[in-house]
Amino acid sequence: MGDGGGRWVEVPPERLVRWVRSFAGRHGPAVAEAGPAMVVLRAQDGAVAECHPPFPPLRLPEDPGLAGPGPAAATNPDLAEPARLAELMAAHAAAARTVGVLLVRLGGHAAGVFTGDPPALAASKTGSRLVHGRAAAGGWSQHRFARRRENQAAAALRAAADTALAVLGPYAGRLDAVVLGGDRRAMAGVRADPRLAPLLAGAEDRFLTVPDPRLAVLTDTPRLFRAIRIRLTGPAN
């Protein structure tokens, strides 16, 4: 979920205010540093919670301090209050959006468009293609098997790209965000399709690690793409 050590947790927007209050209760009063991509909570005992809301930048109240690299709280004391910032992050994460989702693993894929709050699946399509596993045998039979597997994998990725184009294409220009997930290597193969460049160019950095992309997995993605990801470091994180 991230690098740099510590422990990562995912908190849904409707639970964030309670989570922040619990953090302060466990570690002592906290102060906050707010920025467009991350809110950092520093508790009295040295514990730190780096909160990464989805769909950056986080929309903060008008504040001239946001023009520079320093904490917004320097000019807006309201932005140093953890509970207030939790409310802002929760509202931002739960805002009504039109979100395209593309999930790809080798041999399976799913694409969907979610609208509103709570997110409702407005369009979707899933598919699968047979891709054999790697062979351990040697000789010419292994080479033939490898070629067949490469052809199967290429066909599976083309099918995933076709599905993405069919589902997301009609929403071009209307998507507030595009979220990708599945297997990164397979997704890289799909993104190489030039037909998808206009749709996926602005995809979110957050990548969803999911199992085989079936309809049930696709339907569950709002829980993942709306969560606030939090990295905990310091005492008893």
Side-chain angles (χ1 to χ4, degrees):
M1 203 181 303
D3 298 319
R7 179 170 64 92
W8 287 85
V9 297
E10 295 190 352
V11 181
E14 62 272 16
R15 289 181 48 211
L16 185 64
V17 173
R18 183 172 59 184
W19 187 95
V20 167
R21 287 174 177 157
S22 176
F23 174 80
R26 295 192 307 273
H27 299 287
V31 295
E33 298 174 6
M38 178 174 64
V39 171
V40 181
L41 307 179
R42 302 183 186 279
Q44 188 177 56
D45 69 352
V48 177
E50 295 179 357
C51 305
H52 300 259
F55 310 115
L58 174 64
R59 287 173 171 79
L60 297 167
E62 288 297 327
D63 184 87
L66 295 179
T75 54
N76 189 339
D78 193 40
L79 296 182
E81 172 53 46
R84 173 59 178 150
L85 279 167
E87 292 172 355
L88 291 172
M89 285 190 287
H92 173 82
R97 293 180 177 87
T98 300
V99 180
V101 177
L102 177 61
L103 309 175
V104 179
R105 299 189 72 86
L106 201 57
H109 58 269
V113 175
F114 293 86
T115 60
D117 173 37
L121 190 58
S124 67
K125 185 177 180 181
T126 64
S128 62
R129 288 292 184 99
L130 176 66
V131 179
H132 284 105
R134 300 184 184 276
W140 284 107
S141 63
Q142 181 183 12
H143 293 305
R144 287 196 300 270
F145 186 91
R147 285 196 299 271
R148 184 165 70 247
R149 185 180 187 278
E150 288 174 3
N151 291 336
Q152 291 172 342
L157 297 181
R158 280 196 303 271
D162 290 343
T163 294
L165 198 62
V167 175
L168 305 184
Y171 289 84
R174 294 187 286 157
L175 294 173
D176 297 307
V178 175
V179 177
L180 307 178
D183 174 76
R184 290 184 182 274
R185 185 173 179 180
M187 182 61 73
V190 172
R191 296 191 73 169
D193 190 316
R195 298 174 299 165
L196 298 181
L199 288 170
L200 305 185
E204 299 294 315
D205 290 338
R206 178 178 296 195
F207 192 86
L208 308 182
T209 302
V210 298
D212 289 343
R214 304 177 186 276
L215 180 59
V217 173
L218 176 65
T219 304
D220 187 52
T221 54
R223 177 181 62 84
L224 303 175
F225 68 63
R226 300 207 311 170
I228 294 84
R229 289 181 170 177
I230 304 174
R231 186 169 77 98
L232 297 165
T233 59
N237 62 70

